[in-house]
Amino acid sequence: MESSTRRRYTKGQSKGNETLGDCSEDEAAEDKQNTSLSCFNSYVVFFVYVGSAGLIYLSMYLLFHSFPTPIKEETGLSGNQFCEERARYHLENITKFGPRVAGSYANEVQAKDYLLMEVQRMEQQLHASKRMEIDLQITSGSFQLVDFIQTTFFSVYRNMQNVVVKITEQKESEDSFLINCHYDSVSSSPGAGDNAVSCSVMLEIIRIISMSSIKLKHNVIFLFNGAEENMLQASHGFITQHKWAKSIKTVINLDSAGAGGWEVVFQTGPEHPWLVAAYADSVPHPFGSVIGQEFFELGLIPSDTDFRIFRDFGKIPGLDIAHIANGYIYHTMYDQPKYIPAGCLQRAGDNLLALTLKLATNPKLADPGLDRHGSVIFIDFLGFFMIHYPMRIGMILNYLTVVLCFLHIYKRSGRYTTKDLSGWSYVLLVLCFVLTSVLTWVLCTFLLASFGLMMSACGWAMCWFTHNINIFFIFIIPSLAVVLRTQQYFRVYFWKKIHPCVKEEIHFDASLLIWSIFTFTLTICGLASAFMPMLWTLFPLVIRTYVAYYINPDWKSSLSSYLLVSLSSIAVPAVLMMEVIFGIFSLIVPIMGRSGTEMPPDVAIAAITSLLVCLYSQYLIGATYMCHNVNSFLVFLASCFTVSMFVVIFTPLGLPFSGNPDGPSPKRVLSFHMQRKFYNKTGHITKEDSGLWNLHYDYLGSDLYLDNEFIKNSQLKICDGPNCGLPYLIPISHMLDPRQSLYYMNLEDPGVTPLVRLKLIGRKAVLPDVERLTFQASGPDHMTMYVAPQSGVQLVAWSINRGHPAPVSKTKASNETLYFVYYSHGLLPDTPWEFYLDFKLTERTDVVTEIAMCGHYLHGDQHITPLLQRFINSLPDWTVPNAWVVTYNLYQY
């Protein structure tokens, strides 16, 4: 019996010969039983495909850099209208204090006083229906950070400051929600984007709400926390100790991984799907995706926010919102107000104001009811609106789509006989095409990752870091070429006798099956991201199989109709996926400049790019079975790639970093004036040295300025103590390998005060085999402590934190058991830091433990010494230094 599909192709042979162009003689010989083959021009087909993808990506870029018109104060504001001009005034004033490190005068006095002054001024203009309370919290405490940047350690803080404002009706509610920002910054940055911009927006929101007559059902608490960059310490002090914390039902956390751009919702919950609904229903410019949330939860982003503190220690659900654009200047001296585009604050303020008013009047804040549980699937559509629905509905939709896909393939298989398919069964062919697609993906990813590794080895690493367009030429083009060449190979050597149009249909059904398998697998794993493969299954299936054949059964007979149907069938999932891809690349490309020394970034970018190309082009690549001159097009792609590599290698367009002041993408340089002293158990110094320690922040290290006088005279660091004998601020030697760091020893004394001191003030047996050592420690406002028990000794308890002490993860650099404590204070404490350590001795030993106390001088006149200044002056203009003085004192007890 002749299949209906095949009859349709035969019926349109004459028309096909006129409109599709002539097939080559080789292709005609492949299938002599068919007198007419559907042969499109591969140049036209793939230029349209690539061009459409590029157009979508360009649209994303233009949209992502568009903002509402900033509202100025003189334009005549309505009562509840956000004004960017006022918010930017606060931004300029906060950042003019310079870097605001916890413990510094700029942070503990100037920035704090400015915030208090502004909210007290607003209190004088309070609406008659409102009450405002202002509290300055000074907090101390300790906690354990688990899986923070893939490591675990303990944090101790003393006298950290929080400025807290509560706005209520005259009759106060029992329920509140929290809006949080942090006004401190890292030592190398004025912190405009991270995070003065959020605090400036919050000040303007306070002004609007405090002067508004809108009735609030719930209290609104604004937290300006003074120590987020100190490993999230101030937020912990607030949520575990503040008098208003128990009334808080939800939190909106505001942070940044860049400077400006659209603010994205990248963490929600836990559970409480009503929060996403409130966001989606209220904000005028929504932006966020559950895919971004699950991507962040993988732990691949080397940072975290206060949101985890509120979630883990306060058990409070909420929304985590952050700016992610221009991550090149994140935590650098370039994080200044001028790099935050006009309209950015207006967009953030409009959204936050709408969300604040929505939550302040939402009865679900007090009692979410059934919406207390369950997850939600959400994604915005180009920032215009947000689609959201419960996970349980998504699971049903996903499974129905999978069933529909299998029914479609079963129905299609009945249309063909083995004679039609040269002895093959249809289902078997579909499975074979699935296998060839998977093999193509594996081959493409492997080849591109290998190519990325080769680029790193040859000194061409990160040529895409500044000029992102290079990703297209050196990764996307070869990925497309590998996919096309592989499919061409299977076409010629395996599916030679099958009609091209039938092969295209089989490839389409195989693609449906692949996406449906993804949908099923992700759904079974409980991942909300399963909605994306569901869309890639549902839309092509419905549009190609039903809509297109209903409108024009012979749509494959002309190139224009074929392209129209192919592109329209994937339009919706393509746009949504491209938005996710744009967001991911906007985030991870700058992160590659601070991702450490362990993984070649070219391998990561190449592998991610090739995999995304394979996924995005899965349906479109089926056109190769209906195209002639594919080999010619492959030669064209190879030529483009060759020319691109020539440009990358021999022109400035391949340079990874840029110091262009209009748009810097600098190389980060971690440099320390380090002084080390090693004491034996009698307290005598057995070894001391000092000099310039360079810890590499990215994979390239110092390769691009090896002729620098300091670098030429440096040596690779040799490990000679706990944590390699080096004073890390946080335990990330798994990312920044100490053995690849450089040490320029010149014995120049940094001359800093106060000096780090560790004093043993008590030693006694608390059990027959347990000895307690009590210490007093003093020094600068940032210190780290390594505790390294000796062989036969275990650290079983301490006063630093409740619970059993947990060591940091062991690294390939060392197999030692090491306990890491991060200490800092804001206001200067009246007494030294006092703590005890309990050690269990399983065998007699002269030395129970080694303790390294490290001082970090992050601010003030001392943090840049003449040695550091000379080194900074010697660096190229495309670098940005992050430098301070560190000391390492090793004691034996």
Side-chain angles (χ1 to χ4, degrees):
M1 181 181 73
E2 189 178 31
S3 71
S4 58
T5 304
R6 185 168 179 177
R7 286 197 302 269
R8 183 161 60 248
Y9 297 151
T10 305
K11 181 179 178 181
Q13 283 177 3
S14 303
K15 183 177 179 180
N17 286 335
E18 293 175 4
T19 59
L20 303 182
D22 298 327
C23 296
S24 66
E25 293 182 3
D26 292 339
E27 288 170 324
E30 289 178 12
D31 195 353
K32 296 180 180 179
Q33 60 182 320
N34 294 306
T35 58
S36 173
L37 298 177
S38 297
C39 295
F40 300 143
N41 188 308
S42 61
Y43 284 89
V44 175
V45 170
F46 290 103
F47 276 153
V48 171
Y49 283 171
V50 175
S52 64
L55 185 62
I56 296 173
Y57 197 86
L58 178 62
S59 300
M60 300 296 171
Y61 179 86
L62 296 175
L63 276 171
F64 196 67
H65 289 81
S66 64
F67 301 94
T69 302
I71 293 178
K72 297 185 177 182
E73 197 165 3
E74 64 268 15
T75 56
L77 295 171
S78 63
N80 297 321
Q81 196 170 21
F82 185 90
C83 174
E84 173 168 319
E85 186 178 37
R86 285 201 185 105
R88 193 167 283 273
Y89 169 80
H90 297 309
L91 177 63
E92 296 284 350
N93 285 333
I94 293 172
T95 55
K96 75 180 181 181
F97 302 131
R100 300 172 303 283
V101 183
S104 68
Y105 182 77
N107 191 70
E108 306 306 325
V109 178
Q110 291 177 302
K112 178 261 298 181
D113 286 351
Y114 178 82
L115 293 169
L116 284 173
M117 178 186 68
E118 289 300 317
V119 294
Q120 287 167 355
R121 182 181 300 168
M122 296 171 192
E123 187 179 25
Q124 302 303 315
Q125 303 173 345
L126 199 63
H127 191 274
S129 65
K130 300 291 188 295
R131 290 178 54 212
M132 179 188 290
E133 293 183 64
I134 303 169
D135 183 55
L136 176 62
Q137 182 193 23
I138 300 175
T139 180
S140 303
S142 65
F143 60 100
Q144 183 182 12
L145 271 171
V146 180
D147 293 331
F148 182 87
I149 317 181
Q150 302 170 16
T151 189
T152 297
F153 61 97
F154 293 85
S155 179
V156 177
Y157 59 94
R158 304 175 73 192
N159 294 354
M160 293 302 177
Q161 297 189 99
N162 290 316
V163 176
V164 196
V165 179
K166 180 168 71 171
I167 300 178
T168 71
E169 293 294 307
Q170 286 294 337
K171 184 179 180 181
E172 185 174 334
S173 170
E174 295 181 355
D175 306 305
S176 310
F177 71 93
L178 176 70
I179 306 176
N180 173 70
C181 74
H182 69 89
Y183 61 87
D184 67 317
S185 74
V186 296
S187 63
S188 58
S189 172
D194 185 27
N195 187 28
V197 66
S198 297
C199 293
S200 302
V201 169
M202 279 173 52
L203 284 172
E204 175 64 359
I205 298 294
I206 291 175
R207 183 195 66 83
I208 294 171
I209 293 179
S210 64
M211 297 176 63
S212 171
S213 61
I214 295 177
K215 182 175 177 58
L216 306 177
K217 291 184 178 179
H218 313 292
N219 312 323
V220 188
I221 298 175
F222 297 86
L223 170 60
F224 300 86
N225 89 66
E228 189 268 356
E229 301 294 357
N230 273 38
M231 308 303 114
L232 319 177
Q233 291 176 335
S235 57
H236 180 270
F238 172 81
I239 205 62
T240 59
Q241 301 174 39
H242 197 274
K243 59 185 178 181
W244 297 336
K246 293 185 182 300
S247 71
I248 296 172
K249 304 300 183 183
T250 190
V251 60
I252 303 170
N253 185 62
L254 306 176
D255 213 327
S256 176
W262 290 8
E263 70 285 0
V264 58
V265 176
F266 69 100
Q267 288 192 94
T268 67
E271 301 191 284
H272 289 261
W274 68 272
L275 284 169
V276 173
Y279 174 86
D281 295 343
S282 62
V283 303
H285 315 290
F287 184 49
S289 167
V290 71
I291 297 177
Q293 173 173 317
E294 293 181 343
F295 179 79
F296 185 83
E297 289 171 352
L298 291 175
L300 301 178
I301 307 301
S303 62
D304 217 326
T305 73
D306 286 318
F307 183 82
R308 74 171 288 167
I309 299 296
F310 301 127
R311 179 196 65 203
D312 297 347
F313 293 94
K315 308 302 179 185
I316 298 172
L319 301 175
D320 202 4
I321 303 174
H323 295 277
I324 62 170
N326 200 8
Y328 295 110
I329 66 176
Y330 169 74
H331 282 190
T332 73
M333 64 182 184
Y334 292 112
D335 189 8
Q336 303 167 16
K338 68 178 181 179
Y339 290 108
I340 297 177
C344 175
L345 276 73
Q346 189 67 48
R347 187 184 193 281
D350 289 345
N351 281 348
L352 183 60
L353 178 60
L355 180 58
T356 301
L357 294 176
K358 178 74 173 180
L359 293 178
T361 57
N362 194 329
K364 288 193 174 183
L365 183 81
D367 182 14
L370 295 177
D371 276 340
R372 187 184 308 275
H373 303 291
S375 300
V376 64
I377 297 167
F378 63 95
I379 188 169
D380 74 287
F381 189 82
L382 304 180
F384 295 118
F385 58 88
M386 179 169 278
I387 304 163
H388 61 96
Y389 51 94
M391 183 70 171
R392 62 182 182 276
I393 301 299
M395 294 177 67
I396 295 172
L397 185 57
N398 294 346
Y399 289 135
L400 287 177
T401 300
V402 171
V403 170
L404 184 62
C405 172
F406 278 87
L407 289 175
H408 161 77
I409 294 175
Y410 174 77
K411 181 180 178 181
R412 180 99 80 177
S413 66
R415 294 180 179 178
Y416 293 96
T417 65
T418 55
K419 182 179 179 181
D420 296 327
L421 303 174
S422 301
W424 294 79
S425 74
Y426 187 80
V427 173
L428 182 59
L429 275 175
V430 169
L431 294 176
C432 288
F433 271 64
V434 169
L435 180 61
T436 59
S437 293
V438 173
L439 290 175
T440 300
W441 297 357
V442 172
L443 178 64
C444 183
T445 304
F446 173 76
L447 290 178
L448 266 292
S450 300
F451 174 66
L453 186 62
M454 184 203 74
M455 291 190 66
S456 299
C458 294
W460 306 326
M462 299 180 69
C463 63
W464 36 264
F465 185 73
T466 292
H467 305 286
N468 298 162
I469 190 65
N470 288 343
I471 293 177
F472 175 79
F473 292 106
I474 65 172
F475 292 144
I476 293 180
I477 284 181
S479 296
L480 183 60
V482 171
V483 172
L484 287 175
R485 184 64 190 92
T486 307
Q487 292 298 323
Q488 182 77 341
Y489 174 83
F490 287 117
R491 166 189 174 181
V492 172
Y493 291 101
F494 288 87
W495 326 124
K496 189 173 182 180
K497 296 182 179 180
I498 303 174
H499 193 286
C501 290
V502 177
K503 285 187 283 191
E504 195 273 345
E505 280 197 350
I506 296 171
H507 179 88
F508 172 75
D509 287 350
S511 302
L512 284 177
L513 183 58
I514 289 170
W515 282 113
S516 65
I517 291 172
F518 282 163
T519 302
F520 182 79
T521 303
L522 295 178
T523 304
I524 286 293
C525 293
L527 295 176
S529 300
F531 83 90
M532 184 60 77
M534 181 274 293
L535 295 177
W536 279 100
T537 307
L538 184 62
F539 276 88
L541 175 60
V542 171
I543 292 176
R544 270 192 53 143
T545 307
Y546 300 104
V547 177
Y549 279 121
Y550 177 79
I551 296 174
N552 178 16
D554 293 325
W555 59 270
K556 289 186 181 180
S557 62
S558 75
L559 178 57
S560 59
S561 61
Y562 178 82
L563 292 174
L564 179 62
V565 171
S566 297
L567 293 176
S568 61
S569 67
I570 66 167
V572 172
V575 168
L576 292 177
M577 185 174 182
M578 192 65 77
E579 184 177 6
V580 172
I581 291 172
F582 181 87
I584 289 175
F585 273 91
S586 297
L587 181 65
I588 67 172
V589 169
I591 283 177
M592 291 297 104
R594 52 186 175 92
S595 59
T597 57
E598 294 301 284
M599 181 186 65
D602 289 79
V603 174
I605 296 296
I608 293 171
T609 301
S610 61
L611 186 58
L612 290 175
V613 168
C614 291
L615 292 172
Y616 188 89
S617 65
Q618 178 58 34
Y619 286 111
L620 306 180
I621 216 69
T624 56
Y625 298 110
M626 301 178 66
C627 289
H628 66 89
N629 63 356
V630 175
N631 289 333
S632 173
F633 184 70
L634 286 170
V635 172
F636 170 76
L637 291 178
S639 302
C640 292
F641 172 70
T642 303
V643 171
S644 301
M645 286 303 300
F646 181 87
V647 171
V648 164
I649 295 171
F650 296 107
T651 74
L653 293 177
L655 296 177
F657 305 107
S658 170
N660 179 5
D662 294 329
S665 49
K667 174 182 174 60
R668 299 162 188 261
V669 179
L670 271 175
S671 302
F672 309 93
H673 189 166
M674 178 171 66
Q675 183 180 65
R676 305 191 308 160
K677 294 181 180 180
F678 295 73
Y679 298 86
N680 61 18
K681 63 181 181 179
T682 62
H684 294 93
I685 296 177
T686 59
K687 177 183 176 181
E688 64 178 315
D689 56 53
S690 62
L692 186 69
W693 174 41
N694 278 292
L695 186 60
H696 297 150
Y697 220 153
D698 61 55
Y699 186 78
L700 283 170
S702 54
D703 291 353
L704 299 180
Y705 48 93
L706 290 174
D707 58 342
N708 182 281
E709 193 66 28
F710 291 92
I711 300 300
K712 283 194 299 184
N713 293 313
S714 298
Q715 302 292 327
L716 287 174
K717 186 69 184 69
I718 299 174
C719 292
D720 55 355
N723 203 50
C724 221
L726 294 170
Y728 280 71
L729 185 61
I730 54 176
I732 53 172
S733 56
H734 59 285
M735 289 179 56
L736 310 183
D737 192 344
R739 298 169 304 172
Q740 296 183 31
S741 64
L742 298 175
Y743 192 26
Y744 169 76
M745 192 183 303
N746 74 343
L747 303 181
E748 191 172 323
D749 191 333
V752 290
T753 56
L755 296 175
V756 171
R757 299 189 185 279
L758 181 64
K759 182 180 180 181
L760 179 65
I761 61 172
R763 189 166 193 163
K764 65 179 181 178
V766 292
L767 290 172
D769 59 347
V770 176
E771 187 174 17
R772 173 170 294 177
L773 278 63
T774 304
F775 298 92
Q776 279 186 348
S778 59
D781 46 51
H782 288 73
M783 295 189 292
T784 54
M785 180 175 71
Y786 312 143
V787 181
Q790 299 301 286
S791 177
V793 180
Q794 298 175 5
L795 178 62
V796 294
W798 59 7
S799 61
I800 287 173
N801 192 61
R802 288 180 295 179
H804 193 277
V808 298
S809 302
K810 295 181 180 180
T811 68
K812 62 184 181 183
S814 172
N815 196 38
E816 65 188 348
T817 299
L818 191 72
Y819 300 84
F820 188 98
V821 180
Y822 176 98
Y823 167 90
S824 62
H825 62 252
L827 298 175
L828 182 65
D830 295 329
T831 60
W833 174 34
E834 188 171 313
F835 60 92
Y836 67 78
L837 308 173
D838 288 349
F839 295 97
K840 182 178 181 180
L841 281 66
T842 59
E843 59 184 62
R844 293 184 63 83
T845 177
D846 289 338
V847 176
V848 173
T849 185
E850 289 185 321
I851 299 178
M853 287 296 297
C854 310
H856 296 263
Y857 301 82
L858 292 163
H859 58 86
D861 297 335
Q862 300 182 102
H863 94 284
I864 299 293
T865 62
L867 174 63
L868 280 174
Q869 192 61 59
R870 293 197 303 271
F871 176 67
I872 291 170
N873 293 341
S874 72
L875 292 172
D877 62 0
W878 39 263
T879 63
V880 58
N882 189 3
W884 64 86
V885 175
V886 293
T887 61
Y888 180 97
N889 297 323
L890 181 63
Y891 304 91
Q892 293 182 342
Y893 298 99

